[in-house]
Amino acid sequence: MDPTPLQLGFELVSVGLLALLLVVVTLWQSFEIVDAYEKKTLTVFGEYRKLLEPGINLIPPFVSRTYPFDMRTQTLDVPRQEAITRDNSPVTADAVVYIKVMDAKKAFLEVDDYKKAVSNLAQTTLRAVLGDMELDDTLNKRQEINAKIRKELDEPTDEWGIRVESVEVREVNPSKDVQQAMEQQTSAERRRRAMILEAQGERRSAVEQAEGDKQSNIIRAQGEKQSQILEAQGDAISTVLRARSAESMGERAIIERGMETLEEIGKGESTTFVLPQELTSLVGRYGKALSGSDVQEMEGLDGKEFDADTRKMLGLDDIDEILGQIEESAEMNVEELEKEAEAVKAGDAGASIRSADEVIQEMDDEEAAAEVETDTEVETEN
């Protein structure tokens, strides 16, 4: 049996299978599936042709290549970087950069590896920004550091079709020596604040105590002043009452002296006598008080009440008013009362109350004048 037909059939089957396999591979190479969050760049024989949109795309088989680009926001970790601040303090910091591919063609043609490029650019920018700041600013002004890094990254990344959406510095740590110094400074600051608060508390306590003592002294002084005012007012009123009583007793002595004078006049030979009106009034009132006679048109002396002249002489009608003035001590003029009392004691001629000696002296002068006048009349009649 000749093997040639069998070999020929086997070769035909092999060729057919190869042709079918070639067709399948060709069809497979002719379609490119792009995910919804991607875009792919297409090159044919190494030449850039176009961007493949999400879905199924036809491409030249065997001579085409595609490069995917994730169009979502991507996160890049910036490794920990060491930097020297403006005040020569070493610090370390790391950050996170959020980027998004805005133009896949630029990201493919303008930069080799956009992720690596952005990461390296972020590292150098982070060191530069920290080097331009003071240590305290690097620890306290995180938002300012983030804004500066993002501003520095915007211009070069725009040429790569990349947009930097955000930059976040995670940690900024000074060296161990600086950390120890800062801890000591913080501890000293807290002790200082504690001492200040304690001193302020003691000062406030002393001020409150001094204020309380001051108020207590003021109240005590006001009480002593009030007591002295009331005591002075009492002494002044007592002096006035004693002076008025002395005037009343002086008037009684005048009446008695007048009676003795009348007795002396009665022993004389003359039948005509001239008496002062004040003496006759006093004698009449004194006689009425002693006998209850109706020599003058006036009521008899009541044993329970003083007449108007006596009450006025003794100042009984003014007692209630004076006592009421004592209760209103703040409105009383103590100096005037004291001056009045001193005037009464000293016998001042301008005082409203006269002493008994003055009244008696005045009556003696009037009596002497009356005797002269009587002798003149007797001589005339003879």
Side-chain angles (χ1 to χ4, degrees):
M1 185 175 181
D2 189 3
T4 302
L6 293 175
Q7 290 180 354
L8 182 61
F10 180 75
E11 291 177 356
L12 291 175
V13 171
S14 298
V15 171
L17 292 174
L18 289 175
L20 180 60
L21 179 61
L22 180 60
V23 171
V24 171
V25 172
T26 301
L27 292 176
W28 177 258
Q29 290 291 324
S30 298
F31 294 96
E32 183 70 23
I33 299 175
V34 180
D35 293 330
Y37 56 85
E38 288 182 334
K39 285 187 178 181
K40 291 183 178 181
T41 58
L42 175 64
T43 61
V44 178
F45 293 108
E47 181 184 0
Y48 173 80
R49 291 293 180 88
K50 64 178 182 178
L51 289 176
L52 301 180
E53 298 295 333
I56 298 176
N57 296 271
L58 292 174
I59 62 174
F62 305 113
V63 293
S64 300
R65 295 184 62 182
T66 58
Y67 301 89
F69 288 90
D70 194 335
M71 305 302 293
R72 297 173 295 184
T73 299
Q74 304 174 54
T75 303
L76 296 180
D77 288 331
V78 179
R80 184 174 298 273
Q81 302 296 311
E82 294 184 358
I84 304 297
T85 61
R86 185 188 302 173
D87 52 354
N88 298 324
S89 178
V91 294
T92 58
D94 61 349
V96 177
V97 180
Y98 298 90
I99 63 173
K100 187 174 184 179
V101 177
M102 303 302 296
D103 190 342
K105 179 179 178 180
K106 288 184 177 182
F108 175 70
L109 297 177
E110 300 295 335
V111 62
D112 181 15
D113 185 348
Y114 70 90
K115 290 184 178 181
K116 185 177 180 180
V118 172
S119 178
N120 292 333
L121 182 60
Q123 294 176 30
T124 57
T125 304
L126 176 60
R127 289 195 298 269
V129 170
L130 293 177
D132 290 337
M133 300 178 68
E134 301 287 342
L135 175 62
D136 293 338
D137 293 338
T138 60
L139 298 177
N140 300 325
K141 298 181 180 180
R142 296 287 184 87
Q143 296 299 327
E144 183 177 347
I145 296 175
N146 297 337
K148 287 183 177 180
I149 295 176
R150 180 178 178 182
K151 182 178 180 181
E152 293 294 330
L153 294 178
D154 277 341
E155 184 176 355
T157 54
D158 284 343
E159 296 178 358
W160 301 338
I162 308 297
R163 185 179 68 186
V164 178
E165 294 186 340
S166 178
V167 177
E168 296 293 335
V169 176
R170 290 187 292 194
E171 290 185 359
V172 177
N173 296 322
S175 63
K176 293 182 179 180
D177 294 337
V178 175
Q179 288 182 359
Q180 292 178 357
M182 293 176 62
E183 291 176 358
Q184 293 176 359
Q185 180 181 2
T186 303
S187 179
E189 181 67 18
R190 289 178 179 176
R191 288 196 300 269
R192 185 183 69 84
R193 291 181 181 179
M195 294 175 64
I196 291 174
L197 292 177
E198 184 177 359
Q200 289 178 348
E202 292 178 355
R203 176 177 176 273
R204 182 172 297 178
S205 176
V207 169
E208 294 293 338
Q209 184 176 359
E211 186 67 22
D213 294 340
K214 176 182 175 182
Q215 294 295 334
S216 176
N217 292 333
I218 290 174
I219 294 173
R220 188 183 300 108
Q222 289 178 349
E224 292 177 357
K225 178 182 176 182
Q226 191 78 4
S227 176
Q228 293 175 1
I229 290 174
L230 293 177
E231 184 178 356
Q233 290 173 351
D235 293 341
I237 294 172
S238 176
T239 302
V240 173
L241 293 179
R242 286 198 300 270
R244 290 180 177 177
S245 176
E247 183 180 4
S248 177
M249 295 301 295
E251 185 177 351
R252 183 174 179 181
I254 292 171
I255 295 173
E256 292 178 354
R257 183 69 176 271
M259 296 300 294
E260 293 177 359
T261 303
L262 290 176
E263 184 179 356
E264 295 293 333
I265 293 173
K267 293 179 181 181
E269 296 178 358
S270 178
T271 58
T272 303
F273 305 99
V274 179
L275 299 177
Q277 183 178 358
E278 291 81 0
L279 180 59
T280 57
S281 176
L282 292 174
V283 171
R285 189 162 64 248
Y286 186 69
K288 174 185 175 300
L290 293 177
S291 61
S293 62
D294 295 333
V295 177
Q296 298 181 1
E297 294 180 0
M298 57 189 301
E299 297 180 357
L301 184 64
D302 191 355
K304 296 182 180 180
E305 297 182 356
F306 295 99
D307 58 8
D309 293 336
T310 305
R311 292 180 63 86
K312 183 177 180 181
M313 184 184 301
L314 297 177
L316 298 177
D317 294 334
D318 299 332
I319 296 298
D320 294 337
E321 182 179 356
I322 292 173
L323 293 177
Q325 291 177 354
I326 293 176
E327 295 179 356
E328 300 176 356
S329 58
E331 300 178 0
M332 290 187 64
N333 193 340
V334 180
E335 294 182 359
E336 292 182 1
L337 291 177
E338 292 178 352
K339 289 180 180 179
E340 184 179 356
E342 293 296 334
V344 172
K345 290 180 181 180
D348 187 3
S352 60
I353 302 174
R354 297 179 297 170
S355 64
D357 295 336
E358 290 180 350
V359 177
I360 293 172
Q361 183 65 36
E362 184 180 354
M363 294 306 298
D364 289 341
D365 295 339
E366 291 178 356
E367 181 182 353
E371 288 179 357
V372 173
E373 185 178 355
T374 302
D375 291 341
T376 302
E377 289 180 357
V378 170
E379 291 176 0
T380 302
E381 291 177 357
N382 292 335

